[in-house]
Amino acid sequence: MNKNILLIFIMLFASIISCNKASAEIKWEKDLASAMKKAKDKNLPIMIDVYTDWCTWCKELDKNTYSHKDVIDVAKKMVSVKLNPETSQEGAEIAKKYGVQGFPTILFISADGLILENVGGYVEGEKFVPYMKNAIEKLDKINIVLASKEPSLEKLDLYMESGNEEESQKIYDALMQKNVITKDKMPKYLLGFALMRAQRNDYKKANEYFDTIIKDYSKSEEVYVAHYYKAVTMVLAGEKDEPKKYLEKLLDDPKTPDNMKVQYESLLSYINESN
């Protein structure tokens, strides 16, 4: 066989292998800004892999999950980007905005920043696919909700879940004027605003919300959650004895549900070990 012809066959074979390999990988965008633009232009969900270089399970995710054929196939229906909050400003902002507590965390969001799905920790292979499909389906539902210009409880839930306080406040105020939010729903939204404030380190305002729930909605399910986070904000604000006394009083209260007592005891143990 002519050497030139043989060389052509070799180059063609190498090209085929290269193309097959390229198609068998998730295409990661270089930064969040480009991912957002692409997602908005094509109306696609965004998959954000929040990782760190030292995270063992993050490497396992790359090795066993992102290489899985079914995951790669579904990833073609979304825009993917990796962000390291320890080396990237975008990563740090995303981790703070969505309350990322551990690694890996995989966030699925819309181009407007609304949460579609949140996966905390390692999920292997095909078990990851349902989360991806849920994100795609939820985006379709969100598009329907957002198509209306009128404020609604559905819109309020979407923006609060995504930590968008500004939009949440606008919708909340509009719904309050129309008397749409019933009394039994109020603690839920007050708690949401409180947690958003706490996440921004505005503990004073957060506690105002917690105190309103505790005072005005003492029979609601959210009241015991408000107690818990009130103690947490005390700790975050640098207080030592007050949160301990606060939790001990709640633990002595026979009305405190058993499931919340477990949470209170866990937080109290943490405080005692930290001091």
Side-chain angles (χ1 to χ4, degrees), residues 24-37:
E25 294 179 351
I26 293 176
K27 295 180 180 179
W28 300 95
E29 294 294 319
K30 294 181 179 180
D31 55 71
L32 184 60
S34 59
M36 287 283 198
K37 185 180 185 304

Side-chain angles (χ1 to χ4, degrees), residues 6-275:
L6 179 61
L7 182 61
I8 290 171
F9 274 113
I10 292 172
M11 291 175 66
L12 284 172
F13 183 69
S15 176
I16 291 169
I17 292 174
S18 177
C19 289
N20 286 339
K21 183 178 180 182
S23 63
E25 294 179 351
I26 293 176
K27 295 180 180 179
W28 300 95
E29 294 294 319
K30 294 181 179 180
D31 55 71
L32 184 60
S34 59
M36 287 283 198
K37 185 180 185 304
K38 187 174 181 179
K40 198 168 190 68
D41 291 343
K42 298 187 177 183
N43 190 31
L44 297 173
I46 303 168
M47 178 172 71
I48 306 175
D49 177 9
V50 187
Y51 74 100
T52 64
D53 293 332
W54 50 262
C55 168
T56 300
W57 288 113
C58 298
K59 294 178 175 65
E60 290 296 313
L61 202 63
D62 286 330
K63 181 181 177 182
N64 302 321
T65 301
Y66 296 143
S67 62
H68 195 282
K69 181 183 181 301
D70 292 345
V71 173
I72 293 169
D73 286 344
V74 181
K76 293 174 184 176
K77 300 176 183 178
M78 52 183 59
V79 182
S80 305
V81 62
K82 282 176 168 286
L83 295 176
N84 185 338
E86 295 183 343
T87 60
S88 159
Q89 182 62 33
E90 282 185 331
E93 289 172 357
I94 283 293
K96 182 177 180 180
K97 179 177 180 179
Y98 294 105
V100 173
Q101 298 296 319
F103 308 101
T105 291
I106 304 90
L107 301 168
F108 295 88
I109 66 172
S110 70
D112 295 319
L114 298 175
I115 282 285
L116 305 173
E117 189 70 70
N118 186 329
V119 183
Y122 172 74
V123 180
E124 187 172 359
E126 70 275 8
K127 294 178 182 178
F128 189 68
V129 173
Y131 295 104
M132 303 175 79
K133 290 184 176 179
N134 284 342
I136 294 170
E137 290 174 7
K138 189 170 181 181
L139 180 61
D140 292 336
K141 294 176 182 178
I142 283 178
N143 287 336
I144 293 172
V145 172
L146 296 183
S148 171
K149 300 300 181 183
E150 293 299 313
S152 65
L153 288 173
E154 290 83 1
K155 277 188 182 181
L156 179 56
D157 289 339
L158 286 175
Y159 283 110
M160 292 203 79
E161 184 182 359
S162 299
N164 190 325
E165 185 178 4
E166 184 178 353
E167 284 300 319
S168 296
Q169 191 68 60
K170 289 178 183 177
I171 298 170
Y172 174 83
D173 291 342
L175 294 176
M176 286 295 290
Q177 288 181 356
K178 295 181 178 181
N179 295 318
V180 174
I181 302 178
T182 57
K183 186 175 181 181
D184 62 308
K185 297 289 185 183
M186 283 294 293
K188 167 188 171 181
Y189 294 117
L190 291 173
L191 184 62
F193 282 119
L195 294 177
M196 283 190 279
R197 281 288 170 170
Q199 195 170 348
R200 291 170 55 184
N201 301 331
D202 187 353
Y203 304 130
K204 182 179 179 181
K205 187 63 179 178
N207 275 316
E208 288 179 9
Y209 283 117
F210 293 138
D211 288 339
T212 298
I213 297 171
I214 293 166
K215 179 183 175 182
D216 298 340
Y217 303 93
S218 59
K219 295 182 179 180
S220 68
E221 293 181 4
E222 288 81 5
V223 70
Y224 294 104
V225 181
H227 279 304
Y228 176 83
Y229 282 110
K230 183 174 173 64
V232 170
T233 56
M234 289 180 187
V235 175
L236 293 174
E239 298 180 33
K240 295 182 179 180
D241 294 331
E242 283 306 309
K244 290 172 61 175
K245 293 176 182 176
Y246 192 80
L247 289 167
E248 288 167 354
K249 185 177 179 180
L250 289 166
L251 288 168
D252 289 338
D253 187 347
K255 295 180 181 178
T256 301
D258 290 340
N259 64 319
M260 289 308 302
K261 281 188 176 182
V262 173
Q263 301 298 323
Y264 296 159
E265 287 170 349
S266 178
L267 181 56
L268 185 60
S269 294
Y270 169 79
I271 294 170
N272 288 329
E273 290 172 6
S274 301
N275 291 339

